[in-house]
Amino acid sequence: MFKALVVDKDAESGKTSAAVRELDLGDLPEGEVTVAVEYSTLNYKDGLCIGPGGGLVRHYPHVPGIDLAGTVEASDDPRYAPGDKVVLTGWRVGEAHWGGHAQKARVRADWLVPLPEGLDTRAAMAVGTAGFTAMLAVMALEDHGLVPGGAPVLVTGAAGGVGSVATAILSAIGHEVAAVTGRPEQEAYLKGLGAARVVPRAELAETVKRPLESETWSGCVDAVGGAMLARVLGQMCYGASVAAVGLAGGAALPATVVPFLLRGVNLLGIDSVMQPYDNRVRAWTRVARDLPMDRLEAMVVPATLSDLPGLGAEILRGQVKGRVVIDVNA
């Protein structure tokens, strides 16, 4: 028997409920590898799956948790053996497939990545999908020419999970980081992560009639989208890139093509869910090398399985800062 957060849906009312329950191995879905989960985490998608579903959950009852890290307990795939440390993010685990908010998980071997040297399972979940996405964004900016020493790099939604890790990584590898937030009380937190300055969200929240403004940013990790992304595109330096990782400010993009045509600006889409294996290994290796562990620890909010229903509601309201790490065995 093992414990898991189980979300169920009432057939008549359509309302969902979430509670910690005991399950056995026979309840787990199909997969080649059974993992004894040690830590999981909380992302916005988890909040949707714990609560209203958000169209992500296909079948109930359901175990959410889009991230997990732990030790292989049993494997039918030669790539993994009992005792191996592994990490999993993406592949719609926790949405269409039972996820990591449990003490056991059974998954496809193709979805796993060996835990990189230099990280333990707790640190891996302090990184999680949010930090993995942040590193993918940083690598994409580097692949398109970003190097230290230029104009500042902008990070929007900087107090959130992706933004927090992006701020810490970019600062650690030598960039001057300008962190955007609508929560002025987070200034000390963001500067502790390495931000050189904090930009109030109001300064970038509205579109302007001019398609181009002064060249200000050498790169940007954008978790907001919407009007802010449109505004930022007109402020990028010549040939600079924006890595788009989220849509907290909306999915619409009220922009013009002028920044692309007159300044050669690049808009790079970042998807963490279906990333190929080799790029996953590359990103996790970079995380272990370039993310300062002391700054990572400063982001961590510890929690347990029983805390998840409340935390799921909080993250949907934008009330979660940094990275929630779930000790599934606590």
Side-chain angles (χ1 to χ4, degrees):
M1 303 295 290
F2 63 93
K3 292 181 179 179
L5 182 74
V6 180
V7 182
D8 219 334
K9 188 172 187 177
D10 184 87
E12 293 185 5
S13 68
K15 292 183 178 180
T16 58
S17 59
V20 178
R21 287 169 35 189
E22 284 202 341
L23 305 174
D24 63 42
L25 291 176
D27 295 317
L28 290 173
E30 293 183 357
E32 299 92 11
V33 182
T34 302
V35 179
V37 181
E38 294 165 17
Y39 294 95
S40 185
T41 183
L42 181 75
N43 299 278
Y44 191 85
K45 282 184 178 180
D46 296 319
L48 290 173
C49 294
I50 291 168
L56 301 176
V57 179
R58 292 181 178 177
H59 305 288
Y60 292 91
H62 180 70
V63 175
I66 69 172
D67 298 338
L68 64 89
T71 304
V72 172
E73 194 168 79
S75 175
D76 295 327
D77 188 285
R79 288 172 288 180
Y80 296 100
D84 288 348
K85 297 289 186 178
V86 291
V87 60
L88 187 154
T89 62
W91 299 112
R92 298 213 65 200
V93 171
E95 304 171 41
H97 189 93
W98 280 17
H101 290 164
Q103 293 172 326
K104 306 283 185 184
R106 186 176 292 139
V107 298
R108 290 182 55 186
D110 288 342
W111 298 341
L112 295 168
V113 173
L115 188 71
E117 187 176 346
L119 286 182
D120 58 24
T121 52
R122 183 179 182 275
M125 288 297 93
V127 176
T129 283
F132 175 64
T133 303
M135 181 53 82
L136 290 173
V138 171
M139 293 193 314
L141 293 176
E142 291 174 341
D143 291 344
H144 286 78
L146 180 68
V147 294
V153 179
L154 191 71
V155 178
T156 70
V162 178
S164 293
V165 181
T167 298
I169 291 171
L170 287 164
S171 172
I173 61 179
H175 295 279
E176 179 185 344
V177 179
V180 182
T181 183
R183 296 181 275 176
E185 69 276 11
Q186 301 302 336
E187 181 170 354
Y189 167 75
L190 291 169
K191 288 189 173 179
L193 296 179
R197 62 187 174 104
V198 174
V199 180
R201 181 170 60 196
E203 290 188 12
L204 296 171
E206 295 183 3
T207 56
V208 294
K209 292 183 179 180
R210 300 186 306 279
L212 293 177
E213 299 181 68
S214 297
E215 297 181 47
T216 306
W217 317 114
S218 65
C220 174
V221 177
D222 174 60
V224 176
M228 186 177 293
L229 173 56
R231 180 80 182 274
V232 167
L233 287 169
Q235 298 179 348
M236 302 305 295
C237 295
Y238 188 90
S241 300
V242 178
V245 301
L247 41 66
L253 183 59
T256 76
V257 298
V258 173
F260 309 124
L261 302 180
L262 297 188
R263 283 196 185 149
V265 172
N266 305 297
L267 181 57
L268 312 174
I270 306 299
D271 167 63
S272 66
V273 177
M274 306 302 290
Q275 277 290 317
Y277 176 83
D278 288 347
N279 211 40
R280 287 178 181 272
V281 172
R282 177 186 171 211
W284 279 107
T285 300
R286 284 286 305 276
V287 164
R289 187 186 80 189
D290 293 332
L291 178 57
M293 289 301 108
D294 57 339
R295 296 184 190 177
L296 181 65
E297 187 60 34
M299 306 176 203
V300 170
V301 178
T304 66
L305 289 176
S306 60
D307 295 324
L308 279 168
L311 287 169
E314 288 179 15
I315 200 169
L316 296 182
R317 295 194 296 264
Q319 296 174 338
V320 171
K321 177 186 77 174
R323 301 290 301 129
V324 176
V325 176
I326 312 297
D327 182 348
V328 301
N329 297 299

